[in-house]
Amino acid sequence: MPAPIRLRELIRTIRTARTQAEEREMIQKECAAIRSSFREEDNTYRCRNVAKLLYMHMLGYPAHFGQLECLKLIASQKFTDKRIGYLGAMLLLDERQDVHLLMTNCIKNDLNHSTQYVQGLALCTLGCMGSSEMCRDLAGEVEKLLKTSNSYLRKKAALCAVHVIRKVPELMEMFLPATKNLLSEKNHGVLHTSVVLLTEMCERSPDMLAHFRKLVPQLVRILKNLIMSGYSPEHDVSGISDPFLQVRILRLLRILGKSDDDSSEAMNDILAQVATNTETSKNVGNAILYETVLTIMDIKSESGLRVLAINILGRFLLNNDKNIRYVALTSLLKTVQTDHNAVQRHRSTIVDCLKDLDVSIKRRAMELSFALVNGNNIRGMMKELLYFLDSCDPEFKADCASGVFLAAEKYAPSKRWHIDTIMRVLTTAGSYVRDDSVPNLIQLITNSVEMHAYTVQRLYKALLDDISQQPLVQVASWCIGEYGDLLVSGQCEEEEPIQVTEDEVLDVLEGLLVSNLSTPVTRGYALTAIMKLSTRFSSVNRIKKVVSIYGSSIDVELQQRAVEYNALFKKYDHMRPALLERMPIMEKTATNGPTEIVQTNGETEPSVVEAKHPPPVTQPANQANDLLDLLGGNDVVPVIQTTMPTKPASAGGELLDLLGDLSLSGIPPMTAYSKNGLKIDFTFERANPNPNIAVITIHASNSTEADMTDFVFQAAVPKTFQLQLLSPSSNVVPALNQGTVTQVIRVLNLQKQQLRMRIKLTYTHKGSPVQDLAEVNNFPPQSWHAHPSLGLIG
Amino acid sequence: MALCLSLIPDSRQHVHRFTTNCLLRCMQFMLLFSRQGKLRLQKWYVPLSDKEKKKITRELVQTVLARKPKMCSFLEWRDLKIVYKRYASLYFCCAIEDQDNELITLEIIHRYVELLDKYFGSVCELDIIFNFEKAYFILDEFVLGGEAQETSKKNVLKAIEQADLLQEVRH
């Protein structure tokens, strides 16, 4: 049997393969040879064979049949065998493998070996990939070695201990005694690994943290020595002494100084010293400065030091090295909340970074820019950000657009500016804006009464240019439907009014209906807009024709709308004008309010679970509610009101609900409470598009002779639900059923569990305070089912 | 001291939710690969299946190779930060945790390259291909469990030297 080929020869051979197939063939041949060699239990060449196997493993070929061989190598007396064996173990025998534990005994023996390099191999292997059981078995050995005077072993033992603690946190205590004198070591390797160990312990246990706070003076001294001492060739990196150790000490100081005044004070001077004296020409110096800044910002440092830190970051922003700029932006993003004014000073540099070529830097600069926008700089900042929006990569556009909307809403200097900004976003990044922007914008436009004519004109012109961007088209359609009369009458004050006829407007809207570019949702908007114009334009016949055509549309949504609008022309024509009246100003706290402004450090994504999301993408649902308010107000308690929001929001449905057709509603109303003359009814609707959110409106009525004043309704739900209570319509429930107090509750029911609620009512009646608690358990099953057709889920 | 990694041509190359054990590490793994995407060294400090390692490697190699020269050495990937640097034909790529210092990681990478250079004498990719086990041994004397164990270049090289002397056979 010839000797198996050497490792390097194999490597050479495999590299001559010209195709993947050829390589595979060579590998298979060699594997077969190796397998038979393993079978023969050959000790001489086992090491060579395993080494070859490891090479082939790196190329991506399976090597599991070599696992046991690694164990045999580890158990061998020869150092060469052990070296390759442990390497193989680290590559092939991680804790997921069955035979992993078989290593334990060998490692234990080798931890006590007479040769430190063998001990080193064992410590390294254990510290890299020891399983929890292995760590448990061998922790004692590691602890012993942590106390040895041999610095070569001590430093390895320290990191091994770190691994043991990570795998088996309960064992942390046993290493405490051994940490006693770790910092008195002169050897940098031991010092470094000791600091890592101490850091690990402090991060895991508040008790340890408290215990080790007393080390702060010692750490400060060591750091000081490193900075002040002269050139030390052994640890020098570009003129800085042991930057790795400096960084680790700074990090430990950060943990020790956090939330502790005394410790923070004790390290104040050294931090200032490092911050001012560290050489910044090379990356290594900046690495230390970076860590220093992080520490200063995290501990209870005095304001002068904090300003120093921010200024360091500001200087980083101007550094040619893009890596430095990147970490500066990241750090500034973290501190922009707490040190807002200091960061503001660097605003122009940050804005310049928007033009950087690097994607990561651009993103951070964008987030930071949004965080820095305020009432004073809004115009300038928005100019930059809009320019950025124009030219940035698609991956940024959605976030940037959302950010612009949010900032504009908060700080718009004028309504005109606000509308212009929105228009700019819609026309440049219109296809990237989030779905929830559309209802938000519609509400905004509705509320800017004096700008209606200007807005509809600009939107109309935008539509003439481009109908591909759906959010733009949807907002424009809606506006034209609402304010088309202003458009044709040429009432615009802000700019030159355009001349446009009713037919031209209808042409555009009909064009949207037929265009391939329009989504079904957009078509819905267009059709509704056309319908609304029937009370604003005189070309009613044309509109009637369009509407009747779509009565047989394949799109069910469109068909339904068309059919219902048709019905409006025929049977209910007398109601049409009132129903299609101009939208009133929407209250911000209504269910279709804007998404809450999320914190300002740049995150523009509202949390998914927010029940504050405006529900329908299709506006008409809300029109119905508001129209009812117009018709009846709170003084009338018609039967109609209880059917109001009972249907999942789909456009035309609500109109028919008004007409009393209860069979279309999904969920029947219920009486939740009735006692002492106070009656509380619940009516339901499902929030669209999220079927997990149930929108419940309470109607409180009072049949006694006296008013109930200071009426407060509170509700609580089980933990698996989330609840949001909006403002009540009033807190006086008038006597003798003369009116109702309504209030909207939104319940998020992700787990589709049975809805239960506990309510608390407080009010004053005839001078005395009344309080009552009640359980509401009679929710109809449909109120928590996504689809009424599903049976009760257990 | 100039580092010389000479160019030796060679031949080349998906979504995994990175499961960290919520443990704080300096480094989760280090990969060395050529400009064609060939793996030259892989050191993992977290337990993952072979399949997962392959997926991560494939995806990360693709991502890093797609980076343009002007871009910075850091990128966000899954819930990790990736620090990479190219030395001649080899990419050195580390994955670190969110709270780790990227700039010092660059120094760690540089230190490792210096060690290789000192050991092999003007190291090039071929040295690492043909002596991959030595590259591992050197790394294991410098980094243990994802953390640097020795900050003195001299001490690391001395230890390797001594260990080499203990070897009974040369294969």
Side-chain angles (χ1 to χ4, degrees), chain A residues 666-668 670 684 686 694 749 752-755 777-793:
Chain A
I667 309 166
M670 61 178 257
F684 301 88
R686 191 144 319 273
N749 183 3
K752 306 263 192 317
Q753 295 191 353
Q754 172 166 0
L755 189 49
N777 289 325
N778 54 334
F779 285 96
Q782 301 100 304
S783 64
W784 71 80
H785 285 174
H787 303 281
S789 57
L790 289 173
L792 256 167
I793 303 160

Side-chain angles (χ1 to χ4, degrees), chain A residues 247 250 254 274 278 283-297 312-313 316 323-324 326-332 334, chain B residues 74 81 98-104:
Chain A
V247 165
L250 284 163
R254 176 153 83 243
V274 176
T278 306
N283 179 67
V284 60
N286 289 320
I288 293 173
L289 277 177
Y290 178 39
E291 195 74 35
T292 310
V293 166
L294 292 178
T295 299
I296 292 174
M297 300 316 291
I312 290 176
L313 293 179
F316 274 7
N323 293 333
I324 309 287
Y326 175 92
V327 302
L329 286 169
T330 313
S331 313
L332 284 169
K334 288 192 200 133
Chain B
F74 315 128
K81 294 200 281 203
D98 203 43
Q99 60 271 27
D100 290 320
N101 183 328
E102 295 96 322
L103 300 179
I104 206 72

